[in-house]
Amino acid sequence: MDLLFTCCKNPTFNTLIDIGVKNGKITYIEEHDGRHTDAKEIIDLGGNLLLPGLVESHIHLDKAYLLDRLPGDVTTLRDAIEKTTELKHGYTAVDIEKRSLQVIRQAVNRGVTKMRCHVEIDPISQLVGLETTLALKERVKDSIDLQIVAFPQEGIFNDDQTARLMEQAMVMGADVVGGITYNDRDVEEHLDFVFRLAEKHNKPVDLHVDFSDRPEELAILDVIRFTKTFGMQNRVAVGHLTSLGSVERGQAAEIAADIARAGIHVISLPATDLYLNGRGDNECVRRGLTPVQLLLDHKANVVYGSNNIQNAFTPFGTADPLDIGFLLAQTSHMGSEQDALKLIEMVTTNAAASLGFQHYGVKIGADADLVVCSVNDVRTLLYTRPERERVYKKGKLVAKSTIQVTSYVEERMTT
Ligand SMILES: [Zn+2]
């Protein structure tokens, strides 16, 4: 074996385990009994967590770190879209690559080994974002798997170029067909284009859907219908879906069950949703969140993502998906030990399944994408989010943390 992790804790196993890696794959998993199998390098975790690489399900690399270019603060979703559209005139390949790489580096340092990013396709930036991200995907492939969504942020039929550019994006190598139901002239027309394009290129679909707190905004009903008509069960993901949180409970429960039956993956994006929703309420301000618990209760696959890093839509963000898990724990009333476990599954195995990644997890034959943590339980990991000690991509070290804090509090205490 090339690498052996001993005395590891992992939520899917009842006992401490040893995990061996050869040629980038997990080839050995046995209960830890103190005897060391032969390996070129042995790392003793001393009972701490070893997780599969974290999965960032939804992020925008091309519009990250734009705060210092904005003319002022942003107050609504419409305002965020319009101000960011203006900034696109200044995008260059070098600029997009620099900001994207900054996010990727931070994410990898935090244990992310797989990421789905939405790259904007429109008449202003044309295909420069896609060209840049496709090249970057190849350059960083030894550290992270990047999935690229061709994303028509400005709508597909609001101009006469985007439909053609979307076609071109798929031919150039985009992995997923994106869409946005709330920023085009007609939802039916928009979805018809997206699903036909996905069918033509045999690619999954990832849509920005129902990003508001208005209960009447329910494009998800159309998405469910299109998913079934095109036989795309388990190959469609929807981001935001916050309007559903404002729908009367009984009706929302029926829709949640339909979402689960259609095999639609839901991606909660709480950092952006909390920031931009609820802006029209003067009292009893709604949180404007995806109804995560309701969807989970009805067996829908719910995961979460960062969405944006420090821009008009979300002036926060560190590219650590666990920050988002923690935010969801607080705002979706998910504070139990079982909830912590669920939130970790949502950023590992469930997220990998929603994005269609194969060979994933702590199991024989899977890629050795692994995160060595400095704590021994998922609750502490989620609540304290310590630096990840070591991050491996296919058995190769891609990040290592050596930060150590020495405390003198006890020494300074008086008797
Ligand atoms: Zn998004």
Side-chain angles (χ1 to χ4, degrees):
M1 274 185 285
D2 301 324
L3 191 55
L4 180 71
F5 300 95
T6 68
C7 199
C8 314
K9 195 162 172 189
N10 180 275
T12 49
F13 297 88
N14 295 324
T15 61
L16 292 172
I17 49 171
D18 292 350
I19 296 171
V21 174
K22 191 174 166 98
N23 297 329
K25 300 270 184 198
I26 296 174
T27 54
Y28 173 91
I29 302 176
E30 288 293 333
E31 186 175 341
H32 175 68
D33 59 6
R35 283 185 294 128
H36 281 168
T37 312
D38 231 15
K40 287 179 194 159
E41 187 182 4
I42 295 172
I43 295 165
D44 185 353
L45 270 75
N48 282 341
L49 283 169
L50 183 71
L51 293 178
L54 306 184
V55 180
E56 173 56 73
S57 303
H58 182 128
I59 201 163
H60 298 262
L61 298 175
D62 54 356
K63 59 183 176 202
Y65 298 113
L66 290 175
L67 279 185
D68 58 355
R69 300 183 197 180
L70 287 169
D73 290 330
V74 164
T75 51
T76 63
L77 172 61
R78 182 54 43 198
D79 195 20
I81 290 175
E82 285 172 7
K83 287 201 169 108
T84 307
T85 301
E86 275 309 303
L87 295 182
K88 282 185 191 179
H89 293 283
Y91 283 6
T92 65
V94 173
D95 166 50
I96 292 171
E97 186 189 85
K98 191 175 167 209
R99 290 183 289 103
S100 299
L101 196 54
Q102 192 179 344
V103 178
I104 288 171
R105 196 185 307 113
Q106 280 189 215
V108 170
N109 292 351
R110 304 290 175 145
V112 176
T113 57
K114 296 181 187 298
M115 172 184 276
R116 176 179 278 186
C117 65
H118 293 248
V119 175
E120 300 195 8
I121 309 290
D122 56 65
I124 305 166
S125 49
Q126 296 275 320
L127 296 163
V128 65
L130 181 68
E131 284 161 359
T132 307
T133 315
L134 279 168
L136 196 56
K137 173 182 171 171
E138 183 62 21
R139 288 180 59 203
V140 298
K141 69 176 184 203
D142 290 338
S143 301
I144 189 168
D145 296 317
L146 216 53
Q147 242 183 24
I148 300 175
V149 184
F151 175 49
Q153 167 80 70
E154 315 295 334
I156 296 169
F157 298 104
N158 292 329
D159 61 75
D160 57 6
Q161 292 185 53
T162 304
R164 177 183 54 80
L165 292 169
M166 285 289 287
E167 286 269 6
Q168 218 173 321
M170 299 318 295
V171 172
M172 285 168 66
D175 302 294
V176 183
V177 181
I180 180 164
T181 57
Y182 50 85
N183 202 25
D184 214 339
R185 63 186 184 187
D186 183 81
V187 171
E188 181 91 15
E189 179 186 41
H190 186 94
L191 291 176
D192 189 63
F193 178 89
V194 168
F195 277 83
R196 281 183 196 282
L197 190 59
E199 186 177 55
K200 181 177 170 186
H201 292 275
N202 190 23
K203 297 290 183 190
V205 165
D206 194 329
L207 300 155
H208 285 63
V209 171
D210 300 340
F211 181 10
S212 83
D213 44 34
R214 295 186 296 278
E216 66 277 11
E217 192 176 326
L218 285 176
I220 185 64
L221 300 177
D222 299 306
V223 176
I224 293 169
R225 181 164 50 83
F226 271 90
T227 301
K228 288 182 186 162
T229 305
F230 280 80
M232 290 279 286
Q233 288 89 343
N234 292 315
R235 297 189 76 199
V236 175
V238 294
H240 296 296
L241 197 68
T242 53
S243 306
L244 189 60
S246 297
V247 171
E248 179 273 321
R249 198 75 179 170
Q251 190 196 349
E254 280 176 31
I255 296 171
D258 281 348
I259 289 170
R261 276 192 290 269
I264 294 171
H265 308 284
V266 177
I267 306 174
S268 178
L269 307 165
T272 308
D273 298 340
L274 284 163
Y275 183 64
L276 289 179
N277 280 332
R279 297 291 186 133
D281 296 333
N282 290 321
E283 51 192 63
C284 298
V285 178
R286 284 168 291 185
R287 287 175 168 174
L289 283 168
T290 316
V292 172
Q293 285 284 9
L294 181 78
L295 287 155
L296 289 173
D297 287 347
H298 287 86
K299 308 276 183 273
N301 184 30
V302 186
V303 302
Y304 53 85
S306 298
N307 197 27
N308 286 296
I309 306 296
Q310 300 178 27
N311 66 12
F313 297 83
T314 322
F316 325 106
T318 60
D320 184 353
L322 293 188
D323 282 0
I324 304 300
F326 182 55
L327 182 61
L328 213 49
Q330 292 170 312
T331 54
S332 296
H333 310 132
M334 296 179 77
S336 72
E337 191 172 357
Q338 205 52 43
D339 289 330
L341 196 57
K342 185 60 161 175
L343 286 160
I344 294 299
E345 284 172 3
M346 286 161 76
V347 74
T348 53
T349 44
N350 295 5
S354 75
L355 306 191
F357 282 116
Q358 310 285 321
H359 317 296
Y360 178 86
V362 176
K363 60 186 183 191
I364 300 289
D367 288 340
D369 292 0
L370 297 164
V371 187
V372 176
C373 305
S374 57
V375 295
N376 64 10
D377 71 291
V378 290
R379 237 178 176 177
T380 308
L381 177 69
L382 195 61
Y383 296 175
T384 65
R385 302 172 312 290
E387 296 287 336
R388 312 306 114 87
E389 280 199 353
R390 287 164 175 261
V391 183
Y392 290 85
K393 178 71 188 158
K394 291 189 178 166
K396 294 275 185 293
L397 189 66
V398 289
K400 185 177 167 187
S401 163
T402 50
I403 291 174
Q404 194 179 352
V405 177
T406 307
S407 173
Y408 299 103
V409 173
E410 272 82 0
E411 289 177 31
R412 300 285 176 266
M413 282 169 75
T414 53
T415 49

